[in-house]
Amino acid sequence: MKNILLYIALTIILTSCDKEKFNSDNSTQEPPKANIENLRQASYPIGAAININTLKNNVGYRNTIIKEMSSITAENAMKMNTISIGRKQYNFDDADYLVNFAQENNIRVHGHTLIWYKHTPTWVSNFSGTTEDWKTIMKEYIQDVVGRYKGKVASWDVVNEIINDNGTLRDCIWLQKIGPEYIELAFQYAHEADPEAILFYNDYGHEYSHTRRYTVNHISDSLARKGVPIHGIGLQMHTNINRSVNDLRYAIIAAAVTKLKVHVSEFDVAVNPDKKSITFTEELALKQKESYRAVFKAMMDIPENQRFGVTMWGVHDPSSWLSVNPDWALPFNDKFERKPAYDGILQGIYK
Ligand code: G3I
């Protein structure tokens, strides 16, 4: 019954998307832009993943964040292998730096990520104990980190990338040692440490895989119905200009059907996904702009209380994890100038 209702809701929403696409595709007029001076004035939070060294050393980078971003995520500084150097031993230097910077500049912090199959610290890989012992070390870690930033970090990716492409649970040390229950326990532990924090399941592939999209939404919905303190779905959305804008839109609308908050948590639009030797032409820039517009617009089309925000995975092109390709995936260029993608954002959030 629940699935039928979800299906009906999606059909209604997607029928209206198609109509909208039809109308907009037939229009030769450039859509209007939001009349704002910077992205901090947008009606929902817009942010970026931050590299701490660049934040410390690059004034243009720092100023662009202060001027444009209302939410920041540590690109690497809050990952377990960065913070956890031993049992009950921590290196919070970079994470503290980010949180202090955010507080000084009145910027929201999203924590990324508590539990991930990647980058397990060596002491955890070498740990030996009973199932209860494994629950204890997971609880200690989550609660020490979330507790330290209680009231300062607004939200957390509690679990990240927990499924395989076929929809089964991805192998990780926590699944091996605790079993599937590790997922709900992670949410419970985080919630106990900061009952106000907004807690997410973050994953990728919503925009290109039915199985991944369905499974993430289904797991999130099932946990919420069971009373597990999960509040939102993070859609990483590392996408590229070849992906249809309807796919991007569909991913966001489908997540919203769960009634949980929706965070496009790691957004970027690669223009060189095949890693060829190319230059960044105007044609590519305009194509990229359309992807930006589609995502920011789709967020405007879900209920306001579900719009957690859009976080871009980096600030300007050279600070992107894709810059080695090379690529030009972000809305600011190497001089921190606004690219056409920035106008795409302004068009997307226009009301
Ligand atoms: O800091 C060290 C440096 O000291 C060393 O010299 C250098 C040599 O390789 O490595 C540096 O660390 C690298 C770090 O990025 C900082 O640049 C790590 O090797 C490298 O693994 C790490 O990659 C990060 C990756 O996650 C893995 O943690 C990327 O920056 C980061 O953008 C990427 O982000 C992920 C999200 O967390 C989850 N979703 C996918 C997304 C993209 O892969």
Side-chain angles (χ1 to χ4, degrees), residues 143-204:
Q143 297 204 331
D144 286 351
V145 175
V146 175
R148 180 179 184 87
Y149 297 117
K150 184 177 178 184
K152 295 179 177 172
V153 170
S155 51
W156 287 95
D157 289 333
V158 176
V159 292
N160 187 43
E161 302 175 359
I162 63 169
I163 59 161
N164 296 307
D165 286 348
N166 66 5
T168 56
L169 286 183
R170 188 197 284 273
D171 188 32
C172 73
I173 199 140
W174 308 105
L175 181 66
Q176 288 167 18
K177 304 296 183 183
I178 299 174
E181 197 198 357
Y182 89 89
I183 298 167
E184 57 187 84
L185 285 173
F187 279 97
Q188 186 189 309
Y189 298 153
H191 184 65
E192 284 167 9
D194 184 357
E196 301 296 317
I198 301 171
L199 304 180
F200 285 85
Y201 162 25
N202 192 50
D203 217 319
Y204 62 88

Side-chain angles (χ1 to χ4, degrees), residues 40-223:
R40 286 187 82 150
Q41 294 173 356
S43 65
Y44 61 83
I46 297 177
I50 306 300
N51 177 293
I52 308 302
N53 281 337
T54 317
L55 178 63
K56 284 179 179 168
N57 299 315
N58 185 327
V59 178
Y61 183 88
R62 193 180 181 95
N63 287 343
T64 303
I65 297 163
I66 293 170
K67 182 172 172 191
E68 302 278 0
M69 306 302 171
S70 44
S71 181
I72 53 177
T73 302
E75 185 174 5
N76 291 305
M78 290 185 176
K79 289 174 179 172
M80 193 174 191
N81 63 325
T82 309
I83 286 181
S84 179
I85 53 180
R87 184 168 181 183
K88 299 291 267 179
Q89 290 180 285
Y90 302 105
N91 177 355
F92 286 117
D93 291 355
D94 282 357
D96 282 356
Y97 187 89
L98 183 90
V99 170
N100 291 337
F101 167 78
Q103 289 211 301
E104 281 161 17
N105 293 289
N106 194 25
I107 301 173
R108 182 180 77 179
V109 180
H110 174 69
H112 171 84
T113 171
L114 294 170
I115 297 296
W116 192 16
Y117 77 96
K118 272 190 182 168
H119 300 313
T120 308
T122 319
W123 76 267
V124 175
S125 312
N126 293 338
F127 183 77
S128 150
T130 63
T131 305
E132 288 309 307
D133 295 334
W134 278 90
K135 288 181 189 171
T136 302
I137 62 164
M138 187 172 83
K139 181 176 182 176
E140 269 172 16
Y141 174 72
I142 290 177
Q143 297 204 331
D144 286 351
V145 175
V146 175
R148 180 179 184 87
Y149 297 117
K150 184 177 178 184
K152 295 179 177 172
V153 170
S155 51
W156 287 95
D157 289 333
V158 176
V159 292
N160 187 43
E161 302 175 359
I162 63 169
I163 59 161
N164 296 307
D165 286 348
N166 66 5
T168 56
L169 286 183
R170 188 197 284 273
D171 188 32
C172 73
I173 199 140
W174 308 105
L175 181 66
Q176 288 167 18
K177 304 296 183 183
I178 299 174
E181 197 198 357
Y182 89 89
I183 298 167
E184 57 187 84
L185 285 173
F187 279 97
Q188 186 189 309
Y189 298 153
H191 184 65
E192 284 167 9
D194 184 357
E196 301 296 317
I198 301 171
L199 304 180
F200 285 85
Y201 162 25
N202 192 50
D203 217 319
Y204 62 88
H206 306 68
E207 69 281 13
Y208 63 77
S209 160
H210 166 77
T211 305
R212 295 194 68 87
R213 179 174 57 247
Y214 173 80
T215 310
V216 173
N217 293 343
H218 179 67
I219 289 175
S220 306
D221 185 53
S222 307
L223 289 171

Side-chain angles (χ1 to χ4, degrees), residues 264-327:
V264 178
S265 56
E266 304 183 17
F267 187 48
D268 47 27
V269 182
V271 299
N272 187 19
D274 302 324
K275 303 178 178 55
K276 292 182 179 155
S277 176
I278 61 164
T279 52
F280 188 55
T281 58
E282 191 184 347
E283 190 191 351
L284 290 173
L286 293 178
K287 217 158 174 232
Q288 182 182 52
K289 173 183 172 182
E290 286 312 300
S291 307
Y292 269 84
R293 181 161 76 91
V295 163
F296 283 82
K297 167 90 173 63
M299 286 295 283
M300 290 299 281
D301 293 338
I302 66 173
E304 198 175 350
N305 66 348
Q306 288 181 264
R307 286 176 214 154
F308 187 75
V310 177
T311 300
M312 292 163 288
W313 207 241
V315 177
H316 69 325
D317 288 336
S319 60
S320 163
W321 68 300
L322 298 170
S323 65
V324 285
N325 285 352
D327 213 302

